[in-house]
Amino acid sequence: MKRVLLICSVVAAFAGCSDPQSPGVEYMPDMYRSPSIEAYEEEKLFADHSGARMPAEGSIPRGFMPYQYENTTEGYEMAGKELKNPLPYSEELVSEGKEIYGKFCVHCHGKKGKGDGAVASNPKWPGPPPAYDGARLKDLPAGKIFHSITYGKGLMGPHAGQINQEDRWKLVYYVQTLQGKDLKAMQAEAGSDQKEMEEENKEDNNTENQDA
Amino acid sequence: MSRFYSKIGNVKVLMHACVLSLFIALSLQVDAQDGKKLFRGNCASCHKLEGKLVGPALSGVQDRWDSKENLIAWIQNSQQYLSDNPGDDYAHSLYEEYNKSVMPAMPLDEAQVNAILDYIANPSAGEEKEAGAGDKQMVAAQDSGEDYTLYWLLGFLVVLLIVIKVLLDVKRSVKHLLYDVKGDEGFEKDGEVQDFNWSTKEKLQHWAGRNKVLVALMGVVVLVVVLNVVWQGLLGVGVYQGYAPEQPIKFSHKIHAGDNEISCVYCHHAAEKGKHSNIPSAMLCMNCHQGIQEGSRWGTEEISKIYEAVGYNTETAEYDKPKKPIKWVRIHNLPDLAYFNHSQHVVAGEIECQECHGPVETYDYPMKQYAPLTMGWCINCHRETEVKMNGNDYYDDLHAELVEKYKEEGIEKFTVEQIGGLECAKCHY
């Protein structure tokens, strides 16, 4: 009887111990932990011991179109001039953009894009981003918005790794509504007389570049 | 206005002039006080007073420029200034040095720029002190939040021991008293201790012999308790619930997802796209921590570990140091024999992260595993959870089919079980 009790308590001590530093006992883990590399596993095969590998340099996923403009001031200006939203405007896209905005942007830029999100108002954050409908960003063209989300701008980091291109274009639509743009009217105009619109745009952008 | 003045006469005009000038003086003062606010609102996202951020440190900037007019013109519209003054080598070399990153034109008038420059020249010492005090308060609040349960328990135990000791002493005294008064007789009647020379073991045996039923009962109770502990222990084999290992960086979900309202998918963005929910790369941390270089709890100690990981140099504001990846300790880890997919649950199933991971936004460092992640846990949920099919285009076709199939039973709502969520091959293959 004594011995049984002793064994029982030893087993209990081992199995039941709840040390938060240890995941606990695994019994015969042969099929739990297979030899293939799992996500985020350490792998001694590679020099840096990281199981997660980068794709070979220059490789492009199927069906993926890399972003054409470089991360320079020239690239930024060119994108502003040339890039157009490839997604045809619809209200659905704007509301999808709003949803994405709520996940990825709202904590800095704030609900209405006034630059009053929780992180931006944290005293440790150097300075809030400018309001979308303020003097600095009110007339930012779609291409520049896309460019800035892709590569980041100043203190804002790049978001290309988190948000794919299509979602970024949806975001552009939503940011434009926060800028106070009447997208429907813009779209209608573009549809009715595209060529004229483009020329106008060019002029607009030229004047813009001078003070941007 | 003029008619008004002419009617009332010169004295009043003078008075009005006084009031007006006072008003102007006051408004100027407001501007000076607003210097800090204007700086934070317009410039702080690129400039710090000390140390580089996106642009150069601004402390002592007036000494670097030969005239204040030029400086003001630069601040109002730097690109304009550059094209107007092709001869200003300093400004042009600065522009080149910062890789031609453009400082945007500022919609500020001269008074406002002056207020900012005043603030830069003399960032009032009083306010800095205030901020420092605030930080300390935060730290103090943190400290008092420490876990004192252990100390309480120990204290309680000590008190308990003292009380027991006193009671025993009292008992012995009373016994001696009785002995003195009644002599040996008194004890025999009580049936307690007959001989003070018995060893403890003998006393115990004697007592047990007189209380067989009680002893048997106690034995059963002890056995049940021990068996229960062993059973629970065995059930816990291979279950990580409550696992909360130390991490290389004291990353707190409460600070990020709670206090600063960052949504889970900002960092765990793959949860909506694929099987695994990614752990964010250190570069993603830099989206915010390029700006936030000091925390209120651990100062620069923890955040500087991010800089080490990505090779960021806070002096030059560039990534020019060797990189050293962070080795997070993995918490959740299903055995390979089971398949689990995040996007299936989060996007198609529209289940909140919190249902499986608990109120993560309240978890401070370290992160822990909330659910047991046993097969029973999965299956229970699949039995009970209704699939959210309405307004979920992922299920449009399937829903129509299922309604057709279950027409006789008249079922409109379906649990995961009914769409095959209990089939072994859904999770094991």
Side-chain angles (χ1 to χ4, degrees):
Chain A
M1 182 64 191
K2 251 191 210 158
R3 228 176 269 161
V4 174
L5 269 179
L6 192 78
I7 291 171
C8 283
S9 44
V10 166
V11 169
F14 267 102
C17 70
S18 54
D19 174 13
Q21 290 305 311
S22 138
V25 185
E26 280 186 345
Y27 173 67
M28 296 218 298
D30 305 337
M31 289 184 75
Y32 285 22
R33 310 286 161 231
S34 63
S36 63
I37 304 175
E38 268 201 83
Y40 291 119
E41 219 171 40
E42 185 171 7
E43 179 49 63
K44 295 256 157 54
L45 258 180
F46 304 111
D48 59 1
H49 292 192
S50 166
R53 310 307 305 165
M54 294 293 281
E57 210 169 306
S59 56
I60 296 173
R62 273 182 62 166
F64 178 80
M65 192 64 186
Y67 183 58
Q68 304 279 354
Y69 297 90
E70 273 176 61
N71 185 13
T72 58
T73 314
E74 289 82 39
Y76 177 69
E77 297 300 338
M78 294 243 286
K81 253 181 246 172
E82 295 167 2
L83 262 187
K84 293 266 146 21
N85 202 328
L87 308 176
Y89 171 82
S90 74
E91 265 164 30
E92 210 171 290
L93 283 186
V94 177
S95 67
E96 278 176 44
K98 182 175 180 182
E99 207 170 286
I100 303 167
Y101 183 87
K103 287 171 185 160
F104 291 98
C105 321
V106 73
H107 51 272
C108 285
H109 285 278
K111 266 214 179 80
K112 296 273 164 223
K114 303 279 187 203
D116 56 357
V119 170
S121 3
N122 188 312
K124 299 280 176 198
W125 177 261
Y132 289 135
D133 56 358
R136 248 178 80 192
L137 299 183
K138 199 172 59 206
D139 296 318
L140 200 70
K144 283 190 181 175
I145 300 178
F146 186 86
H147 191 92
S148 293
I149 304 174
T150 305
Y151 286 126
K153 179 114 202 301
L155 252 201
M156 172 174 146
H159 286 77
Q162 286 145 285
I163 314 170
N164 63 28
Q165 290 189 7
E166 193 185 330
D167 287 354
R168 270 179 267 153
W169 279 118
K170 292 177 191 164
L171 268 174
V172 170
Y173 272 137
Y174 186 64
V175 170
Q176 283 180 314
T177 59
L178 291 179
Q179 282 177 319
K181 295 231 161 95
D182 188 354
L183 288 174
K184 236 193 238 159
M186 271 170 66
Q187 209 66 25
E189 220 174 297
S192 69
D193 207 341
Q194 196 138 17
K195 257 195 187 154
E196 232 179 71
M197 174 85 174
E198 263 172 29
E199 231 127 274
E200 248 173 51
N201 252 357
K202 253 182 210 156
E203 273 166 33
D204 279 350
N205 281 327
N206 282 339
T207 48
E208 225 161 59
N209 294 339
Q210 274 168 10
D211 53 29
Chain B
M1 261 316 227
S2 60
R3 222 174 27 172
F4 184 58
Y5 282 148
S6 61
K7 260 190 200 157
I8 298 171
N10 275 341
V11 187
K12 289 253 160 132
V13 173
L14 238 154
M15 259 176 75
H16 274 270
C18 277
V19 170
L20 205 73
S21 58
L22 202 78
F23 180 70
I24 289 172
L26 268 177
S27 70
L28 272 182
Q29 202 173 350
V30 169
D31 265 354
Q33 276 175 347
D34 275 358
K36 182 175 183 181
K37 228 164 118 201
L38 282 168
F39 180 80
R40 191 174 151 84
N42 291 299
C43 324
S45 64
C46 296
H47 293 290
K48 288 196 295 187
L49 295 181
E50 309 289 344
K52 268 188 191 178
L53 203 59
V54 179
L58 286 189
S59 176
V61 67
Q62 288 196 47
D63 307 333
R64 297 202 285 269
W65 287 69
D66 23 301
S67 92
K68 200 167 174 184
E69 275 96 71
N70 284 356
L71 181 53
I72 292 174
W74 162 276
I75 291 171
Q76 283 175 331
N77 193 340
S78 68
Q79 290 295 297
Q80 185 87 41
Y81 179 85
L82 285 174
S83 58
D84 289 353
N85 299 279
D88 190 337
D89 290 339
Y90 172 74
H92 280 275
S93 66
L94 194 71
Y95 182 55
E96 293 293 330
E97 186 190 330
Y98 281 84
N99 236 338
K100 300 194 176 170
S101 63
V102 177
M103 169 162 151
M106 290 293 164
L108 301 170
D109 59 34
E110 216 173 304
Q112 285 172 319
V113 175
N114 267 319
I116 293 175
L117 287 176
D118 287 348
Y119 166 72
I120 291 170
N122 188 11
S124 67
E127 283 182 80
E128 292 232 349
K129 223 185 239 165
E130 212 176 88
D135 281 0
K136 277 217 189 85
Q137 254 171 8
M138 285 271 281
V139 172
Q142 277 304 336
D143 281 349
S144 64
E146 231 179 80
D147 198 359
Y148 286 121
T149 359
L150 194 67
Y151 301 107
W152 278 113
L153 270 179
L154 278 179
F156 185 69
L157 216 72
V158 169
V159 171
L160 203 74
L161 283 178
I162 292 173
V163 168
I164 288 175
K165 172 92 171 83
V166 168
L167 283 179
L168 284 178
D169 282 355
V170 168
K171 191 179 168 198
R172 220 180 42 224
S173 310
V174 169
K175 232 180 241 169
H176 279 283
L177 212 74
L178 272 177
Y179 187 70
D180 284 350
V181 174
K182 294 191 186 170
D184 280 345
E185 264 174 78
F187 283 90
E188 260 169 41
K189 251 186 211 155
D190 278 342
E192 261 201 27
V193 185
Q194 277 159 338
D195 193 335
F196 281 112
N197 297 329
W198 275 12
S199 69
T200 331
K201 197 177 164 191
E202 282 167 329
K203 279 187 213 163
L204 254 176
Q205 275 172 349
H206 179 78
W207 178 84
R210 283 161 163 271
N211 299 287
K212 287 205 179 81
V213 182
L214 192 64
V215 170
L217 266 176
M218 270 166 61
V220 171
V221 169
V222 168
L223 196 71
V224 168
V225 169
V226 168
L227 280 182
N228 185 37
V229 168
V230 171
W231 178 244
Q232 292 298 339
L234 286 177
L235 277 185
V237 169
V239 175
Y240 284 25
Q241 190 172 24
Y243 180 33
E246 297 275 340
Q247 300 285 356
I249 298 180
K250 292 196 176 70
F251 176 84
S252 158
H253 277 85
K254 182 171 172 296
I255 292 179
H256 291 87
D259 302 346
N260 286 290
E261 299 168 19
I262 306 167
S263 82
C264 308
V265 284
Y266 186 77
C267 294
H268 302 293
H269 47 89
E272 294 191 332
K273 307 280 181 207
K275 174 178 186 294
H276 280 287
S277 175
N278 65 309
I279 300 298
S281 74
M283 272 317 282
L284 199 150
C285 311
M286 289 303 287
N287 276 1
C288 294
H289 284 290
Q290 195 182 2
I292 300 170
Q293 305 197 335
E294 204 185 312
S296 31
R297 197 177 320 168
W298 293 290
T300 52
E301 186 191 338
E302 294 299 321
I303 292 176
S304 64
K305 291 182 192 165
I306 306 174
Y307 301 152
E308 267 168 46
V310 297
Y312 182 73
N313 187 340
T314 43
E315 313 264 292
T316 59
E318 269 171 59
Y319 297 91
D320 53 10
K321 288 187 174 170
K323 296 183 175 44
K324 206 176 107 243
I326 309 170
K327 266 190 181 172
W328 298 109
V329 180
R330 183 170 185 155
I331 304 166
H332 299 69
N333 201 350
L334 281 182
D336 283 2
L337 51 87
Y339 174 88
F340 175 82
N341 185 316
H342 267 95
S343 65
Q344 228 172 15
H345 290 85
V346 176
V347 181
E350 296 179 357
I351 301 175
E352 298 286 330
C353 316
Q354 279 81 352
E355 282 183 45
C356 300
H357 293 298
V360 173
E361 66 279 4
T362 64
Y363 293 173
D364 211 343
Y365 172 80
M367 177 68 192
K368 61 171 179 269
Q369 180 170 324
Y370 167 82
L373 300 192
T374 55
M375 178 165 148
W377 179 80
C378 306
I379 297 287
N380 262 352
C381 190
H382 282 188
R383 288 216 174 100
E384 288 161 9
T385 310
E386 269 171 20
V387 186
K388 295 174 188 140
M389 293 194 182
N390 283 339
N392 188 343
D393 22 337
Y394 182 82
Y395 288 115
D396 276 354
D397 295 340
L398 184 67
H399 192 202
E401 254 173 57
L402 281 172
V403 171
E404 187 66 24
K405 186 172 161 197
Y406 285 94
K407 211 156 46 181
E408 272 109 73
E409 283 124 280
I411 305 178
E412 286 274 331
K413 292 187 165 167
F414 303 96
T415 60
V416 185
E417 182 177 0
Q418 276 154 329
I419 60 169
L422 296 196
E423 280 160 32
C424 314
K426 284 263 155 96
C427 307
H428 301 294
Y429 57 86

